[in-house]
Amino acid sequence: MRELTMPSARAVFWNYGDGQDVTFKRGTSYHSYRPTDEALLYSNERARVQPTTYTAETVVESKEDLDHQLVRFRGADGKSQLLIYTAWPSPFADSARAALLLFNSQFQPVAEWRGTKPSGAGLRRVLTDVPRGFYSTAVEIWDGGTRRLARMRDTITIRPDTGFAISDILLASSIKPLGDAGPTAAREALDVEPLWGSVLAKGQPLSLYWEIYGAKPASDGRAKYEVTVQVEDASRKPVFARLLGGGDREPASKIVYGGNREIVNGRVPEWLQLTSDFQPGEYRVVVTVEDKEGHQTGTTQRQLVVR
């Protein structure tokens, strides 16, 4: 697969061989951008000359949207990281061709990956040292044998890497320490099996991972904080949930617990497992952390769909 880009950088044509082109009009999917006159004229001329290979609708048998997660962290060096997870569609061959691109606010590509199906259930990429700013992401998977196209489009803002903050929540089906790593292990020492998107199957275990940055250390050098975890439905009604292994503890509308952990490279990792009979629907997972020494509070949240 090769990419043909207009000088205006507002229209891109991804060529999959055999005369099959799929057009990504930069700006069509994002309200902040619109194609320039130059790109629009070129697109109209291409549609007139090659109408059968101009749009995805005329070149593919089926098209589907990919579920995904975009997660912002800070690395051990303090620089921003962007983790991208998306499932590999089950009907697609392992030899299907794929591309992942990250565009800046001018729609110039700043990171990309191209290839076929990696090992595992989906695409998992870690982009490091991503400067602050607004970005658009795109994933395309093209199965030429069945003429199927899967795609993902999303936007994200990378915030400054300073001050007290809570990372995004990473949704996972399981999290466990590697080897001799303890329960407070950093992300690099954890075996994380992510959800390949925001969809959780009914009855499937749910684990959460997030990180705390910029916590003020106590006299012993450790971070002391209080965590509140809530799972709300679309109308913000609390959902009963409790920690796994909670014994005979009665379920509550929220989980509240105190943290006292070592600060390593400016980060404090937090992760837990939830168990609850979530009914099908749309939910919001909200995590609030209060830094007891620094008297600061941060909140992060993630959408969750149960089917």
Side-chain angles (χ1 to χ4, degrees):
M1 178 176 57
R2 61 194 183 91
E3 182 173 321
L4 310 176
T5 307
M6 284 294 297
S8 62
R10 294 300 185 186
V12 172
F13 304 94
W14 285 354
N15 179 269
Y16 297 88
D18 302 324
Q20 297 173 334
D21 295 340
V22 176
T23 304
F24 170 29
K25 295 181 184 177
R26 294 177 177 169
T28 302
S29 301
Y30 308 107
H31 62 82
S32 299
Y33 304 95
R34 292 292 182 270
T36 62
D37 291 341
E38 178 189 3
L40 185 59
L41 289 172
Y42 188 91
S43 299
N44 290 339
E45 177 63 15
R46 186 173 180 85
R48 184 185 67 81
V49 175
Q50 293 182 294
T52 61
T53 61
Y54 173 59
T55 64
E57 287 74 11
T58 58
V59 77
V60 302
E61 294 292 342
S62 66
K63 182 177 67 173
E64 62 181 88
D65 293 326
L66 292 169
D67 191 18
H68 62 281
Q69 283 195 80
L70 301 181
V71 189
R72 293 163 293 189
F73 286 131
R74 293 181 195 171
D77 58 1
K79 296 180 179 179
S80 295
Q81 294 181 338
L82 175 61
L83 281 64
I84 303 176
Y85 301 93
T86 187
W88 189 271
S90 57
F92 284 53
D94 291 354
S95 59
R97 285 172 285 181
L100 181 153
L101 293 103
L102 181 71
F103 300 98
N104 62 18
S105 58
Q106 286 75 46
F107 268 112
Q108 299 299 313
V110 295
E112 64 179 271
W113 170 87
R114 300 171 190 271
T116 55
K117 185 179 185 297
S119 60
L123 300 179
R124 181 196 318 228
R125 307 303 299 175
V126 179
L127 305 181
T128 59
D129 198 12
V130 181
R132 60 183 295 186
F134 177 82
Y135 295 90
S136 301
T137 59
V139 172
E140 295 257 343
I141 303 176
W142 168 251
D143 189 335
T146 59
R147 289 161 49 93
R148 293 171 182 258
L149 175 69
R151 58 171 56 184
M152 178 271 279
R153 301 283 188 267
D154 208 341
T155 59
I156 196 163
T157 299
I158 302 299
R159 298 183 290 261
D161 297 336
T162 58
F164 181 75
I166 314 301
S167 75
D168 291 333
I169 300 169
L170 172 60
L171 302 175
S173 57
S174 69
I175 302 175
K176 55 186 178 182
L178 291 168
D180 297 329
T184 61
R187 172 166 34 102
E188 293 80 5
L190 295 174
D191 180 11
V192 179
E193 183 60 35
L195 292 185
W196 298 99
S198 59
V199 177
L200 180 75
K202 189 177 185 301
Q204 181 182 3
L206 174 64
S207 296
L208 310 176
Y209 178 89
W210 68 94
E211 295 177 350
I212 305 167
Y213 309 119
K216 183 178 179 180
S219 57
D220 59 1
R222 299 170 68 88
K224 302 182 187 299
Y225 50 90
E226 182 176 272
V227 175
T228 302
V229 180
Q230 289 182 283
V231 182
E232 307 167 337
D233 66 16
S235 61
R236 290 187 175 273
K237 179 181 178 181
V239 177
F240 286 165
R242 61 182 175 85
L243 283 171
L244 271 179
D248 296 327
R249 183 187 305 167
E250 288 294 323
S253 60
K254 62 183 178 181
I255 301 167
V256 181
Y257 65 91
N260 181 355
R261 293 192 174 183
E262 183 181 1
I263 304 172
V264 180
N265 296 320
R267 304 178 298 170
V268 178
E270 273 289 343
W271 56 280
L272 58 84
Q273 294 173 301
L274 297 177
T275 178
S276 180
D277 186 18
F278 292 111
Q279 298 301 310
E282 297 184 5
Y283 299 91
R284 183 181 299 106
V285 181
V286 183
V287 174
T288 302
V289 178
E290 180 185 357
D291 178 10
K292 293 297 187 179
E293 294 294 320
H295 306 290
Q296 303 176 91
T297 300
T299 300
T300 184
Q301 58 183 279
R302 172 75 69 181
Q303 298 299 117
L304 174 69
V305 178
V306 179
R307 293 178 181 166

